[in-house]
Amino acid sequence: MPIMKKKNEFVIYVVSLSNIKRYMSIEFIGGSCGYIIAQRALQSDLLGMIGSIIAPMAIRRVLQWQQLKSERHAHLDLRSLFKQSAPNPT
């Protein structure tokens, strides 16, 4: 989705080095491992290439799922810390 800008404005995107390293490692290492595993297990170069495409996508999905799961648990933990409890009749 393009960012709407006025006549004399410009947009600067900052990409951190850690994000670049993460992307490169997922693509290169994950793709290579996916190729080798699929090619050796299925004895087909074509299926090895398909594995090299699918492996990085699967890795990214798992990482996204873990991030959502950890955010959800952190959110629930904060709610439980500040939850109002009923006064204790003693």
Side-chain angles (χ1 to χ4, degrees), residues 46-75:
L46 178 63
L47 295 176
M49 286 187 267
I50 293 171
S52 72
I53 295 169
I54 292 174
M57 291 191 309
I59 292 169
R60 281 193 297 270
R61 292 284 175 128
V62 168
L63 292 174
Q64 288 173 352
W65 175 74
Q66 286 178 340
Q67 183 179 8
L68 288 173
K69 186 178 173 185
S70 66
E71 288 173 358
R72 186 174 37 204
H73 284 298
H75 182 66

Side-chain angles (χ1 to χ4, degrees), residues 14-83:
V14 178
V15 180
S16 64
L17 185 60
S18 63
N19 285 338
I20 294 172
K21 289 178 185 177
R22 183 174 177 231
Y23 174 79
M24 298 294 277
S25 63
I26 289 173
E27 288 297 318
F28 290 136
I29 297 171
S32 298
C33 291
Y35 174 79
I36 291 169
I37 291 170
Q39 194 268 339
R40 297 273 167 99
L42 303 171
Q43 298 295 318
S44 171
D45 289 334
L46 178 63
L47 295 176
M49 286 187 267
I50 293 171
S52 72
I53 295 169
I54 292 174
M57 291 191 309
I59 292 169
R60 281 193 297 270
R61 292 284 175 128
V62 168
L63 292 174
Q64 288 173 352
W65 175 74
Q66 286 178 340
Q67 183 179 8
L68 288 173
K69 186 178 173 185
S70 66
E71 288 173 358
R72 186 174 37 204
H73 284 298
H75 182 66
L76 291 175
D77 291 341
L78 286 176
R79 250 196 276 167
S80 64
L81 286 175
F82 297 112
K83 188 175 182 180

